[in-house]
Every structure is written in structure tokens, then in C-alpha cells.
Amino acid sequence: MNTKALGASGPRVSALGLGAMGMSDLYGPTDEGESIATPHAAIDAGITLIDTGDFYGSGRNEMLIARALKDRDRDDVTISVKFGALRDPKGAWLGYDGRPKAVKSFIAYTLARLDSDHVDIYRLSRVDPDVPIEETIGAIAELVQEGYVRHIGLSEVSAATIRRAAAVHPISDVQIEYSLISRGIEAEILPAVRELGIGVTAYGVLSRGLLSGHCSAERELTPGDFRSFSPRFQGENLERNLALVDALRAIADERGATVAQIAIAWVSAQGEDIVPLVGARRRDRLHEALGALDLTLGADDLAAIERAVPTGAAAGSRYPEPAMAALDSER
């Protein structure tokens, strides 16, 4: 497994990370046994970065990771945790809380659920509009001094917010959606993090399965599945986006790869400072994603991919409008 450094101040991690959200939330029913076996398979394959959020399944995802790591060496794994999203007992979203005292409360519960004495990377999931980012980062910095947190990350933030946060404490990485059809970071955010020596952990590299090669217009989604209300999976938007996938499939076939592998390899090829996160919920999907690491995309490959899926080609926004409004990165 190749490794990449998360910025100038962050840890060195595997060139591919595992996003654990879907094992507990937002993508329909899950299998407990498979959800334990998949992180085990990831670690056995050399993956050292696992990403979660304290609000995924209202804490269940952190407890799942704790069970998966029970018979593994905790120090072999870099756990990234997002916090701050508020939910009610039905799972509805209530906003975000970045107050310093809330930060310290969130971490206490996370450490208990993870059965760990520290979190490797801790980050606010979305900027709290009522709390200056300097105050939130300052509170996490105190947790670093106390040994509860090793590194500070950011999530879905603008270039201006990145600069303000980095002025308070070194930032390891910005976690943000980045894929062939979500390329908004390229204009301002990516230049800013590179100027400041900050890495990128890219989630949504397969656009929630849209670029996996396994999605079809006939697929039925269960109630509560994020894709059932995601603009890119609706009606004509889905048809237009699947046409992009077909164009990508032709390139994949020429390389003897799958669509998912091409999409992941493209993200990885955008820089040594970018680590793709794959939200594999099953071992077979994980093994497919790992195959992307064996792909080297040359200039001709990248040009062909660009022609097949040019910037701005996606139909529909990456989140519904209310969620888009909460993204500091889109301002």
C-alpha cells in the first residue's frame, strides 16, 4: 500500500481511505457482520485511514468501528471524526454546533464510543454560522494540548475559512467532496490548501454510487436513502448523469478496469496531497476500489476522461438546496 502525507503537519496515511458512514446510516439497510468484516479487510489490505462522524447513525458508527478494531492494534489506524451535526431521535437534521463547550462535550462521547483515549483527526462537519471558526479551532487546539486529539482537520469550508482556521492552529487536511462530477474545489479551495501545505481527503469520489458503474435508472431505493432525494438521482438528471457514466465505461473497458476504478484513480491522480475516501459497505466493493491503486492514468487517459466527463457536466446539485445552503465551501 502506497502512502500519502496529509499536509505538512498531518499524519502519513494509506493512499486510499475507508469512509464508514454507509455502514450505519443514509444508504438503507446494512449487514452487521459485513460491516465488521469490511474494515477488517481494509486493514488487512493496508488501509490505515478510517473516516466517521459522531452523528452517523447517532453514534452507532463510532461504536461499530470500536467493535471492528477490538482485536486490532489501535495505533495502526488513523481515525478521522467529524462532529457538530445535530439530530433528533428520528434522525432529522437540526443544524450545527461549533461552540467551544460543545466541542469538548462531543469529544467526550466520541472517545467513549470509540473506546479510545484519542482521536487522530478531529473536524467540525459543517461551519456553525453563529460561531467564528477561530473559536471552534481554538477549542480543538486545547484538546490537542491535552492529548485527546492528534491533528485538526476541516470539512466543506471555503478558502477564506481555511485561511482563518490555519492562522489559529496547523490544519492537516480539508475533507470535501471531489469527483469527476463534483469539481468545485479546483477554482479556489485547492490552490489555497496547496499554498498553506494542507492535504485533502476527498469523499464522494463515486458520487454516492452514481459513478460506481453499478447504478441504473431502474434501481429502487429504500425510504431514507440519501439518493432518494439527491438531485443528481432524480428523473432527467439521473438519465443525463448515467450517460456520462456510459462514456466513462468505454474508457474503463479499454483499460481493462471498472468504472469505479477509473473514477477513483482519476481523483488520486489529481495530486499526491489528495487521498480518496471510498464508502465501501461490503468487501467486494472494497476489493474493487483497491484495484484503482493498480491503475496509472497517463496523459492520454486523463484527456479522454476529461472529454467524456468535462467540468460542469453533471446534472443537478450535489445536495438538496437546504443542505447546499449549509456548505461554507459553496459560498
Side-chain angles (χ1 to χ4, degrees):
M1 173 66 68
N2 292 330
T3 61
K4 293 184 175 183
L6 288 184
S9 67
R12 195 161 192 90
V13 299
S14 52
L16 191 70
L18 178 65
M21 180 186 75
M23 299 175 190
S24 303
D25 208 359
L26 297 174
Y27 289 111
T30 59
D31 180 278
E32 173 81 6
E34 192 66 21
S35 294
I36 295 291
T38 300
H40 283 173
I43 295 169
D44 291 342
I47 288 178
T48 63
L49 176 62
I50 298 179
D51 180 77
T52 183
D54 64 7
F55 49 92
Y56 293 164
S58 298
R60 290 192 299 276
N61 198 240
E62 290 178 321
M63 292 187 286
L64 173 71
I65 290 172
R67 292 196 294 277
L69 296 181
K70 189 173 182 180
D71 60 349
R72 303 299 174 110
D73 188 336
R74 168 67 180 85
D75 292 332
D76 288 342
V77 180
T78 297
I79 300 178
S80 166
V81 177
K82 292 181 291 297
F83 71 92
L86 306 175
R87 303 181 74 176
D88 71 12
K90 296 180 180 179
W93 304 93
L94 304 175
Y96 303 93
D97 193 345
R99 294 173 301 157
K101 64 181 180 181
V103 171
K104 295 182 179 182
S105 178
F106 285 131
I107 190 71
Y109 287 97
T110 280
L111 294 174
R113 286 188 292 258
L114 288 175
D115 191 23
S116 177
D117 63 357
H118 72 280
V119 167
D120 297 287
I121 310 173
Y122 203 47
R123 68 185 88 238
L124 182 65
S125 60
R126 298 289 186 269
V127 173
D128 182 342
D130 298 323
V131 180
I133 193 65
E134 291 86 351
E135 293 185 14
T136 303
I137 298 300
I140 306 176
E142 291 180 8
L143 295 174
V144 173
Q145 293 173 353
E146 295 168 357
Y148 298 118
V149 171
R150 298 281 172 84
H151 304 279
I152 301 179
L154 295 168
S155 175
E156 287 289 356
V157 288
S158 66
T161 300
I162 293 168
R163 295 183 189 280
R164 289 169 55 194
V168 176
H169 189 279
I171 303 298
S172 63
D173 66 301
V174 173
Q175 188 175 121
I176 195 163
E177 185 167 356
Y178 190 31
S179 73
L180 273 166
I181 60 173
S182 296
R183 296 171 63 172
I185 76 168
E186 293 176 345
E188 296 182 1
I189 295 171
L190 197 51
V193 296
R194 285 176 169 164
E195 175 191 335
L196 296 168
I198 296 171
V200 172
T201 41
Y203 76 88
V205 294
L206 296 181
S207 297
R208 297 161 180 84
L210 188 56
L211 295 178
S212 69
H214 304 294
C215 181
S216 70
E218 293 74 34
R219 183 176 183 176
E220 293 187 8
L221 300 174
T222 57
D225 191 313
F226 170 84
R227 293 164 292 192
S228 66
F229 48 85
S230 169
R232 290 182 174 172
F233 287 83
Q234 308 307 311
E236 293 183 0
N237 285 351
L238 179 58
E239 293 180 9
R240 288 173 56 188
N241 292 330
L242 288 177
L244 298 175
V245 176
D246 288 339
L248 200 59
R249 194 186 308 277
I251 297 170
D253 289 344
E254 289 183 5
R255 287 299 312 268
T258 68
V259 173
Q261 289 167 347
I262 289 288
I264 296 167
W266 181 89
V267 173
S268 185
Q270 302 313 300
E272 283 298 309
D273 52 355
I274 298 174
V275 176
L277 298 171
V278 294
R281 301 195 297 166
R282 299 176 355 211
R283 283 168 288 180
D284 58 341
R285 295 288 191 254
L286 171 68
H287 293 148
E288 180 183 16
L290 286 165
L293 299 175
D294 297 325
L295 277 178
T296 299
L297 301 178
D300 290 344
D301 295 316
L302 294 172
I305 292 169
E306 184 68 29
R307 289 193 296 271
V309 188
T311 302
S317 58
R318 56 193 181 104
Y319 285 100
E321 187 53 40
M324 288 294 291
L327 294 177
D328 180 69
S329 57
E330 294 288 336
R331 294 173 187 166

Tab-separated table of all heavy atoms in Angstrom, residues 68 71-72 88 116 118 125 172 182 208 235 290 292-293 298:
chain	number	residue	atom	x	y	z
A	68	ALA	N	-14.991	-3.217	15.414
A	68	ALA	CA	-14.131	-3.709	14.342
A	68	ALA	C	-12.652	-3.670	14.721
A	68	ALA	O	-11.859	-4.485	14.259
A	68	ALA	CB	-14.365	-2.890	13.073
A	71	ASP	N	-9.929	-6.258	18.112
A	71	ASP	CA	-8.818	-7.215	18.088
A	71	ASP	C	-7.683	-6.742	17.195
A	71	ASP	O	-6.868	-7.542	16.731
A	71	ASP	CB	-9.318	-8.590	17.635
A	71	ASP	CG	-9.938	-8.562	16.244
A	71	ASP	OD1	-10.165	-7.450	15.710
A	71	ASP	OD2	-10.197	-9.646	15.683
A	72	ARG	N	-7.649	-5.437	16.925
A	72	ARG	CA	-6.578	-4.856	16.106
A	72	ARG	C	-5.784	-3.850	16.927
A	72	ARG	O	-6.233	-3.379	17.975
A	72	ARG	CB	-7.157	-4.173	14.861
A	72	ARG	CG	-8.001	-5.090	13.982
A	72	ARG	CD	-7.197	-6.262	13.444
A	72	ARG	NE	-7.991	-7.233	12.729
A	72	ARG	CZ	-7.933	-7.419	11.414
A	72	ARG	NH1	-7.115	-6.686	10.686
A	72	ARG	NH2	-8.676	-8.345	10.845
A	88	ASP	N	-32.237	14.778	15.746
A	88	ASP	CA	-33.242	14.412	16.742
A	88	ASP	C	-33.407	12.887	16.749
A	88	ASP	O	-32.750	12.184	15.966
A	88	ASP	CB	-34.565	15.153	16.484
A	88	ASP	CG	-35.305	14.660	15.237
A	88	ASP	OD1	-34.934	13.605	14.670
A	88	ASP	OD2	-36.264	15.344	14.824
A	116	SER	N	-11.435	4.654	22.951
A	116	SER	CA	-10.080	5.103	22.654
A	116	SER	C	-9.748	6.312	23.518
A	116	SER	O	-10.640	7.046	23.949
A	116	SER	CB	-9.975	5.479	21.168
A	116	SER	OG	-8.690	5.987	20.858
A	118	HIS	N	-7.881	8.750	22.325
A	118	HIS	CA	-7.619	9.888	21.440
A	118	HIS	C	-8.313	9.697	20.096
A	118	HIS	O	-8.678	8.584	19.707
A	118	HIS	CB	-6.115	10.069	21.207
A	118	HIS	CG	-5.521	9.017	20.325
A	118	HIS	ND1	-5.177	7.759	20.794
A	118	HIS	CD2	-5.205	9.015	18.997
A	118	HIS	CE1	-4.681	7.049	19.805
A	118	HIS	NE2	-4.689	7.775	18.704
A	125	SER	N	-17.990	19.202	11.182
A	125	SER	CA	-18.562	18.678	9.942
A	125	SER	C	-19.022	19.786	8.999
A	125	SER	O	-18.868	19.679	7.780
A	125	SER	CB	-19.733	17.744	10.255
A	125	SER	OG	-20.746	18.437	10.958
A	172	SER	N	-4.329	19.692	9.231
A	172	SER	CA	-3.784	18.545	8.495
A	172	SER	C	-4.410	18.423	7.114
A	172	SER	O	-3.707	18.284	6.108
A	172	SER	CB	-4.002	17.256	9.293
A	172	SER	OG	-5.386	16.980	9.456
A	182	SER	N	-17.971	16.483	-9.358
A	182	SER	CA	-18.022	17.479	-8.273
A	182	SER	C	-16.635	18.106	-8.170
A	182	SER	O	-15.788	17.650	-7.417
A	182	SER	CB	-18.415	16.840	-6.938
A	182	SER	OG	-19.715	16.315	-6.982
A	208	ARG	N	-21.706	8.920	-4.481
A	208	ARG	CA	-22.725	8.115	-3.809
A	208	ARG	C	-23.244	6.974	-4.678
A	208	ARG	O	-24.424	6.656	-4.679
A	208	ARG	CB	-23.864	9.020	-3.341
A	208	ARG	CG	-23.376	10.023	-2.320
A	208	ARG	CD	-24.311	11.204	-2.159
A	208	ARG	NE	-23.752	12.108	-1.166
A	208	ARG	CZ	-22.835	13.037	-1.425
A	208	ARG	NH1	-22.391	13.189	-2.659
A	208	ARG	NH2	-22.365	13.812	-0.483
A	235	GLY	N	-35.098	11.742	-11.925
A	235	GLY	CA	-35.626	11.920	-13.269
A	235	GLY	C	-34.612	12.122	-14.376
A	235	GLY	O	-33.715	11.296	-14.594
A	290	LEU	N	-9.936	-1.089	-4.291
A	290	LEU	CA	-8.496	-1.272	-4.129
A	290	LEU	C	-7.802	-1.469	-5.475
A	290	LEU	O	-6.635	-1.112	-5.648
A	290	LEU	CB	-8.216	-2.468	-3.219
A	290	LEU	CG	-8.487	-2.243	-1.725
A	290	LEU	CD1	-8.526	-3.577	-0.983
A	290	LEU	CD2	-7.448	-1.320	-1.116
A	292	ALA	N	-8.188	0.225	-7.994
A	292	ALA	CA	-7.858	1.533	-8.571
A	292	ALA	C	-6.407	1.903	-8.296
A	292	ALA	O	-5.802	2.671	-9.045
A	292	ALA	CB	-8.791	2.608	-8.005
A	293	LEU	N	-5.856	1.368	-7.214
A	293	LEU	CA	-4.478	1.687	-6.861
A	293	LEU	C	-3.473	1.086	-7.842
A	293	LEU	O	-2.318	1.510	-7.892
A	293	LEU	CB	-4.174	1.207	-5.439
A	293	LEU	CG	-5.028	1.827	-4.331
A	293	LEU	CD1	-4.699	1.181	-2.989
A	293	LEU	CD2	-4.827	3.329	-4.264
A	298	GLY	N	-2.228	7.834	-17.645
A	298	GLY	CA	-1.318	8.697	-18.373
A	298	GLY	C	-2.030	9.932	-18.924
A	298	GLY	O	-3.242	10.103	-18.748
